[in-house]
Amino acid sequence: MEPQPPAERVLRRLGQLLPERPGVLTELGALLEAAEPRWLLGPGSPAALGELAAALSAFAALPEREQDAAELRDGDGAYEAAAERAAGVGRVFVRLLAKLEAAEAEEALRSAVEPALRRVAGHADTWKRNPATKHVFSWALLHVTRPWLCQHLERVLPPSLLISDDFQEENKVLGVRCLHHIVLNVPGADLCQFNRAQVVYHALYNHLYSREAPLIQAVLLCLLDLLPILERAQRQQQQQPRPSSPCDEVLQLVLTHMEPEHRLALRRVYAKTLPAFVQRLGILIARHLKRLERVILGYLEVSDGPEEEARLGILETLQCTIEHAWPRMPCRVPVLLKALLKMIWDVHTDQGSTPEPVRAALLQRATECLILLDRCSEGRVKILLEGVYSCCEENRVRECIRKVQENT
C-alpha cells in the first residue's frame, strides 16, 4: 500500500488548480470530508492551509476590474455562476472548519489547531472585491467577546479601521461599530500597546466632521468608552496632568459643531450624548462654560418636534453642569433663569403635537434646574421669581415657580 502524500503538497496543488479547473472545488470538498485530522494537520499544513484559503477567497471573489464586473452583470447567467462559485467555496470552508473543530477534541492535535485556524481566517483586506465579506466579518467579530477577542486583535483591528475609513456612510457606521466592540472587549493595556488606542482615537475624531447623524451617534458612543482608556494611559506615562485631555478636545469640537447646527437629527444626537461628556469631565467642565452656555441657550429656545429629544438632552446637560461646576453658576443665574422661564412658557402655550408626558418631562427638568440654580446662588432665584409668581396667571407656570419657592 502506497503511503499518502503529505497534506501540504496536496493542498497547495489543489489551490493552484482552482482557476484552471473549477471542478477541483468538488474534489477538494470530498477530500476534506474524508481526510483524517491527523493527516490534515501535518508539520507544514498551517502554511499550506493559509495558501489554500487565499486561493479559495480569490476564486469566490468578484472580478477586480470594472469592465469585468459589467460583463458579469450583463452576461447570460455569468452573475449566477459567480454566486454558485461563492456558495461552493463557502461549503468547502464549512467542511474545513468542521474538521479543525473535530481535531481540537484530540489532545495530541490540539496545539496544531490554533495556528491552522489563524491561517484559514478570511482575508478581510479584500472586502471591496466581495462586499458581503464585511457583513461576515462584522457578524463574526461581534460574536467574539472577552477574553477571547484579545488574541485576535492584530487580525480584526486593521479591517475594522479600513471599513470605517470607507467613503460610503453605511460602511463607516459598520466599521465604527466594529471598533466599538473591540474597545469594549479588549483590555485597555492591550489596546494601548503599540499606540493602537491613539490610532483608533484619531480615526474616530476625524469622523466628527461628518454631517450624518447615524455616523456621529456611533462615533460619540465609541469615544465615550475609549476616552477613559486613553486618559488612564496618559496618567501612567507622565507625572504632571496635561492642560487638556482627549475628552476636552472632543467636547470642544462637538460644541463648535453644535452651536450653528440647524438639522434636527444632528441636534438630537449631540444633545443626547452631551450629558455623558459633562459627567466624564466633572469639575473640569468649567473650561468649556462659555461655549457650553451659548449651546444650552440656543437649544432651549428651539423646539425639535413632538418628542423634544434635543431639549430634554440639553436640560439634562444643564443639570449635570450645575451639579459639577456650581461655584461658577451664580454669575450666570440671570441669563439661565430667563431662558428656562421662556422655555417653560413656550412649552405651556405650545399648541403643537407634543404629547402630554413629554410636556410634563420638560417642565419637571426645567424646574429641577431652577432649584439647583437657587441652591448654588444661595436663594437668589427665589427672590427673582417673587415678582413673576405674583403677576403670572397661568396655573401650570405658577406650579413650577411654587415648587422652586417651597424647596428648602
Side-chain angles (χ1 to χ4, degrees), residues 88-401:
V89 168
R91 287 192 290 270
V92 169
F93 270 117
V94 168
R95 287 179 180 173
L96 178 56
L97 292 172
K99 194 63 67 172
L100 293 175
E101 186 178 3
E104 197 170 19
E106 299 184 27
E107 190 173 349
L109 299 176
R110 199 167 295 159
S111 60
V113 172
E114 186 176 342
L117 278 172
R118 287 180 175 272
R119 297 298 186 104
V120 171
H123 297 256
D125 295 335
T126 59
W127 70 278
K128 269 296 188 182
R129 294 181 60 188
N130 188 355
T133 306
K134 67 186 179 186
H135 299 295
V136 176
F137 169 77
S138 62
W139 183 91
L141 172 62
L142 296 177
H143 281 76
V144 182
T145 56
R146 285 178 183 260
W148 300 280
L149 186 59
C150 183
Q151 58 185 311
H152 304 291
L153 181 58
E154 292 182 5
R155 296 188 67 89
V156 299
L157 183 57
S160 300
L161 287 166
L162 190 65
I163 296 172
S164 74
D165 196 37
D166 193 62
F167 68 94
Q168 291 182 312
E169 186 204 349
E170 62 175 305
N171 293 334
K172 290 180 180 179
V173 174
L174 182 65
V176 171
R177 286 176 180 162
C178 290
L179 291 173
H180 195 180
H181 182 78
I182 292 171
V183 169
L184 291 174
N185 289 278
V186 173
D190 294 283
L191 205 58
C192 291
Q193 197 174 20
F194 307 118
N195 276 339
R196 294 188 187 106
Q198 283 289 345
V199 171
V200 175
Y201 169 72
H202 287 299
L204 294 171
Y205 188 85
N206 290 335
H207 285 313
L208 290 175
Y209 291 93
S210 169
R211 300 295 307 282
E212 303 299 330
L215 178 59
I216 291 294
Q217 183 174 21
V219 168
L220 290 176
L221 292 176
C222 186
L223 279 169
L224 283 169
D225 288 312
L226 178 64
L227 291 172
I229 297 172
L230 288 171
E231 289 166 4
R232 279 197 300 269
Q234 286 180 351
R235 284 196 297 268
Q236 293 169 359
Q237 290 171 3
Q238 52 194 10
Q239 299 294 329
Q240 298 295 329
R242 285 180 56 187
S244 65
S245 66
C247 191
D248 286 298
E249 295 170 359
V250 172
L251 182 59
Q252 184 175 356
L253 184 60
V254 167
L255 292 175
T256 301
H257 290 167
M258 285 184 74
E259 195 171 351
E261 185 56 61
H262 64 277
R263 296 170 64 181
L264 293 181
L266 268 175
R267 287 169 71 95
R268 294 183 186 116
V269 169
Y270 284 134
K272 283 193 291 186
T273 53
L274 197 54
F277 281 97
V278 177
Q279 294 279 13
R280 177 97 217 114
L281 281 170
I283 185 61
L284 297 179
I285 192 63
R287 297 170 175 172
H288 307 275
L289 279 183
K290 279 190 177 180
R291 181 166 288 166
L292 181 58
E293 180 185 294
R294 293 199 300 268
V295 168
I296 289 172
L297 295 176
Y299 277 58
L300 286 178
E301 190 172 355
V302 180
S303 171
D304 66 300
E307 299 304 318
E308 294 283 12
E309 296 173 55
R311 267 180 168 172
L312 287 170
I314 282 296
L315 284 169
E316 186 181 353
T317 301
L318 177 56
Q319 187 173 344
C320 294
T321 304
I322 298 170
E323 290 171 349
H324 287 290
W326 59 268
R328 302 283 296 275
M329 289 296 115
C331 64
R332 292 176 164 81
V333 165
V335 174
L336 293 174
L337 176 59
K338 181 180 178 181
L340 287 169
L341 288 175
K342 183 177 184 302
M343 194 212 74
I344 290 172
W345 179 263
D346 289 344
V347 170
H348 171 66
T349 57
D350 181 27
Q351 301 299 321
S353 57
T354 305
E356 183 55 33
V358 176
R359 291 176 190 266
L362 285 170
L363 295 175
Q364 176 64 25
R365 289 196 182 178
T367 304
E368 290 171 358
C369 289
L370 288 172
I371 291 172
L372 288 173
L373 279 175
D374 183 66
R375 289 177 182 172
C376 69
S377 64
E378 299 181 346
R380 188 179 171 194
V381 172
K382 285 191 179 76
I383 297 170
L384 293 172
L385 286 177
E386 287 177 359
V388 179
Y389 185 82
S390 61
C391 67
C392 180
E393 298 179 356
E394 299 294 335
N395 289 333
R396 201 161 191 181
V397 179
R398 288 170 63 90
E399 177 66 17
C400 294
I401 298 173

Side-chain angles (χ1 to χ4, degrees), residues 51-71:
E51 293 179 18
L52 178 63
L56 286 168
S57 298
F59 182 66
L62 294 174
E64 202 166 351
R65 294 180 300 169
E66 292 184 4
Q67 57 267 32
D68 291 348
E71 290 173 11

